[in-house]
């Protein structure tokens, strides 16, 4: 029984770190634009695909770190373009809903390109670094690396939003877009920068998780839904909520997979989401906001 608990916990923490990183990247964009980027899961898979191409380097080698930088920069650049296209028809208040169509369209385009490139099957990734052993059980190294990556991004973003001028400006956008524009902030440029920061997070997350995620045309939508569940449970826009609730949801999902079967993983996560929304609509770490009329 104890061995099973250790096995579930290790893999649940790794899965939770992926969900936490996806939720963090969603929150970065949401804070600056009040937009949910439904293409985020596709960007995670693209980061993983870059990880497949750099798989020969192995974890910890200079080639592997180079590939992580390439994945982060590539996704940042791609998401800057996506951000410019998504935000172009919108006013600062984002009262129009065209972003729903735009972000969903980008997700569909990524899935179609992956289908044309990979076919309907998942790409395989094999790390040259052997699995680590704990209590007689072998576990793939990404399950150990991903929680470290999640904590590193949490600390880095916390410092960025509190210490840098651009981070403080992005924090101002999360409070009131119209007031930030009236104060002279270049709202559109800052919002596109938020897309770039989000791309760095999700690109490196997908790259580090390449050996254990599904790199297939239909995987993106599953990851963005799971990341959205974690973001809502933790409180939309709240980084602390994402980094805490991600591992919790990951462990619960892993228990459901181990005890009931993989088909129940998403079902259990949605049940948790429903209960949280019924009991605390703003999320566990979210704050209540006044409604404008």
């Amino acid at each position: 029984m104890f061995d099973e608990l250790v096995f579930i916990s290790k893999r649940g923490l790794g899965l939770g770190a992926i969900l936490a990183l996806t939720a963090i990247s969603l929150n970065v964009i949401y804070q600056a634009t009040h937009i949910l980027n439904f293409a985020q899961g596709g960007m995670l898979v693209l980061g993983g695909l870059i990880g497949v191409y750099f798989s020969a380097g192995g974890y910890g080698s200079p080639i592997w770190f180079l590939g992580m930088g390439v994945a982060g920069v590539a996704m940042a650049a791609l998401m800057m373009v996506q951000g410019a296209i998504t935000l172009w028809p919108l006013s600062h208040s984002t009262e129009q809903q065209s972003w729903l169509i735009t972000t969903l369209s980008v997700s569909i385009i990524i899935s179609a390109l992956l289908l044309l490139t990979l076919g309907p099957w998942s790409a395989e990734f094999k790390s040259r670094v052997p699995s680590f052993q704990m209590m007689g059980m072998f576990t793939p190294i990404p399950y150990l690396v991903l929680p470290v990556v999640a904590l590193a991004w949490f600390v880095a973003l916390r410092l960025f939003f509190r210490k840098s001028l651009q981070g403080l400006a992005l924090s101002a956008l999360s409070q009131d877009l119209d007031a930030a524009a009236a104060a002279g902030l270049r709202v559109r440029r800052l919002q596109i920068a938020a897309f770039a920061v989000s791309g760095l997070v999700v690109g490196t997350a997908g790259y580090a998780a390449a050996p254990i995620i599904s790199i297939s045309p239909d995987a993106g939508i599953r990851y963005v839904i799971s990341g959205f569940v974690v973001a809502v449970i933790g409180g939309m826009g709240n980084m602390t909520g994402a980094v805490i609730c991600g591992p919790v949801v990951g462990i619960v999902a892993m228990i459901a997979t181990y005890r009931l079967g993989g088909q129940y993983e998403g079902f259990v996560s949605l049940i948790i989401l429903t209960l949280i929304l019924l009991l605390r609509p703003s999320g566990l770490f979210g704050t209540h906001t006044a409604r404008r009329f």
Side-chain angles (χ1 to χ4, degrees), residues 86-108:
T86 301
L87 296 169
W88 177 65
L90 299 178
S91 61
H92 294 314
S93 62
T94 64
E95 292 178 353
Q96 304 170 12
Q97 304 300 319
S98 64
W99 57 268
L100 284 167
I101 303 301
T102 307
T103 58
L104 284 172
S105 297
V106 173
S107 178
I108 293 171

Side-chain angles (χ1 to χ4, degrees), residues 56-287:
Y59 272 73
S61 71
I63 295 296
W64 186 82
F65 283 110
L66 173 63
M68 176 173 278
V70 170
V73 172
M75 292 305 102
L78 184 59
M79 289 192 63
M80 284 180 68
V81 175
Q82 184 209 348
I85 295 172
T86 301
L87 296 169
W88 177 65
L90 299 178
S91 61
H92 294 314
S93 62
T94 64
E95 292 178 353
Q96 304 170 12
Q97 304 300 319
S98 64
W99 57 268
L100 284 167
I101 303 301
T102 307
T103 58
L104 284 172
S105 297
V106 173
S107 178
I108 293 171
I109 290 171
I110 292 174
S111 297
L113 291 175
L114 288 173
L115 181 62
L116 292 173
T117 304
L118 304 175
W121 303 279
S122 297
E124 293 185 358
F125 177 101
K126 293 183 179 179
S127 174
R128 293 179 61 185
V129 177
S131 300
F132 68 95
Q133 185 175 6
M134 181 182 295
M135 300 184 65
M137 293 179 289
F138 289 93
T139 303
I141 199 69
Y143 288 105
L144 179 65
V145 172
L146 283 163
V148 177
V149 174
L151 287 175
W153 269 119
F154 172 72
V155 173
L157 289 175
R158 194 175 183 86
L159 293 174
F160 172 72
F161 282 113
R162 293 191 175 189
K163 301 296 183 181
S164 68
L165 290 177
Q166 191 172 45
L168 291 171
L170 286 171
S171 297
L173 296 187
S174 68
Q175 298 175 26
D176 195 319
L177 287 173
D178 295 328
L185 293 180
R186 296 183 175 181
V187 173
R188 188 65 78 232
R189 183 177 298 181
L190 288 168
Q191 289 175 329
I192 293 176
F195 271 86
V197 174
S198 178
L200 285 172
V201 175
V202 79
T204 53
Y207 183 89
I212 60 174
I213 64 174
S214 175
I215 303 175
S216 61
D218 61 343
I221 190 64
R222 298 201 303 271
Y223 290 120
V224 74
I225 290 175
S226 299
F228 173 71
V229 168
V230 170
V232 172
I233 293 174
M236 285 303 304
N238 192 297
M239 302 297 180
T240 303
V243 81
I244 292 176
C245 293
V248 174
V249 174
I251 290 175
V252 172
M254 194 58 62
I255 292 174
T257 300
Y258 188 78
R259 292 294 184 183
L260 303 175
Q263 67 270 25
Y264 289 95
E265 177 182 327
F267 177 69
V268 171
S269 299
L270 290 176
I271 289 178
I272 297 173
L273 174 63
T274 302
L275 292 175
I276 293 298
L277 290 176
L278 288 173
L279 299 174
R280 187 174 174 83
S282 60
L284 295 178
F285 295 86
T287 56

Side-chain angles (χ1 to χ4, degrees), residues 5-40:
L5 181 61
V6 172
F7 175 82
I8 291 172
S9 298
K10 287 189 297 182
R11 292 182 177 258
L13 287 174
L15 173 62
I18 298 174
L19 303 183
L21 286 163
T22 305
I24 288 172
S25 64
L26 284 169
N27 283 337
V28 170
I29 295 176
Y30 181 80
Q31 284 184 331
T33 65
H34 297 169
I35 284 174
L36 293 173
N37 184 25
F38 292 106
Q40 211 74 7

